């Protein structure tokens, strides 16, 4: 055996990051990507390549829920996530590996679930529930404020 040949050859077939064990912690959405909570992060999984394309860091507590923004009109480029400390983050997609934080909101208690719609005027409406036994509705205006 020559000195330039490797002793062992290794090829990666599967990389994973564990999903938080919560009912609302996964969402299959736009661009055929799956988003799920993984500790204090969001993992972006690509089913075609069976790989995690990105890990989004921004939360400071366990992620409890993840949801792609739903629109019956067109594919959306946003994910919303809620955490155990009340943090809510709106993430914007640029590519499977490139995401930015578009907005941060704060609930009074641990966010337990969330869902979205786009209203008739094209504005995003977010519904959240929390451990404070509340349901809260948030509406994003055309200028991006909540």
């Amino acid at each position: 055996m020559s000195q330039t040949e490797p002793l062992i050859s290794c090829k990666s077939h599967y990389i994973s990051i564990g999903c938080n064990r919560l009912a609302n912690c996964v969402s299959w959405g736009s661009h055929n990507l799956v988003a799920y909570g993984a500790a204090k992060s969001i993992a972006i999984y690509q089913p075609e390549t069976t790989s995690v394309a990105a890990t989004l860091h921004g939360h400071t507590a366990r992620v409890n829920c993840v949801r792609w923004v739903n629109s019956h009109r067109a594919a959306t480029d946003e994910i919303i996530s809620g955490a155990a400390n009340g943090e809510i983050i709106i993430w914007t997609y640029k590519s499977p590996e490139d995401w930015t934080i578009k907005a941060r909101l704060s609930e009074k208690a641990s966010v337990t679930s969330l869902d979205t719609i786009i209203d008739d005027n094209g504005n995003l409406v977010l519904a959240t529930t929390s451990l404070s036994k509340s349901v809260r509705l948030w509406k994003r205006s055309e200028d991006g404020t909540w």
Side-chain angles (χ1 to χ4, degrees), residues 22-64:
L22 297 152
N24 298 308
C25 215
V26 65
S27 183
W28 196 316
S30 300
H31 312 287
N32 199 30
L33 297 172
V34 177
Y36 64 90
K40 298 176 185 178
S41 303
I42 308 297
I44 305 299
Y45 178 77
Q46 291 180 302
E48 295 99 13
T49 62
T50 64
S51 65
V52 174
T55 308
L56 313 181
H57 305 284
H59 284 286
T60 58
R62 182 192 66 217
V63 174
N64 287 345

Side-chain angles (χ1 to χ4, degrees), residues 24-139:
N24 298 308
C25 215
V26 65
S27 183
W28 196 316
S30 300
H31 312 287
N32 199 30
L33 297 172
V34 177
Y36 64 90
K40 298 176 185 178
S41 303
I42 308 297
I44 305 299
Y45 178 77
Q46 291 180 302
E48 295 99 13
T49 62
T50 64
S51 65
V52 174
T55 308
L56 313 181
H57 305 284
H59 284 286
T60 58
R62 182 192 66 217
V63 174
N64 287 345
C65 45
V66 177
R67 182 75 52 224
W68 279 92
V69 172
N70 257 334
S71 173
H72 300 292
R73 298 180 187 130
T76 62
D77 292 337
E78 293 179 308
I79 291 174
I80 301 181
S81 55
N85 62 353
E87 288 178 312
I88 300 167
I89 298 179
I90 295 91
W91 307 85
T92 301
Y93 167 92
K94 293 181 182 179
S95 75
E97 301 83 18
D98 190 8
W99 294 78
T100 58
I101 294 176
K102 188 170 190 174
R104 290 180 180 268
L105 305 171
S106 183
E107 183 60 84
K108 293 177 182 161
S110 179
V111 180
T112 55
S113 65
L114 54 86
D115 206 356
T116 65
I117 63 166
I118 305 293
D119 70 13
D120 292 337
N121 297 322
N123 297 316
L124 175 63
V125 179
L126 167 66
T128 61
T129 61
S130 72
L131 284 182
S132 66
K133 302 177 187 174
S134 65
V135 175
R136 188 167 180 186
L137 298 178
W138 311 72
K139 185 174 183 177

Side-chain angles (χ1 to χ4, degrees), residues 7-29:
L7 296 176
I8 296 176
S9 175
C10 182
K11 182 177 178 184
S12 175
H13 290 281
Y14 181 74
I15 298 172
S16 70
I17 183 170
C19 183
N20 294 346
R21 296 185 301 168
L22 297 152
N24 298 308
C25 215
V26 65
S27 183
W28 196 316

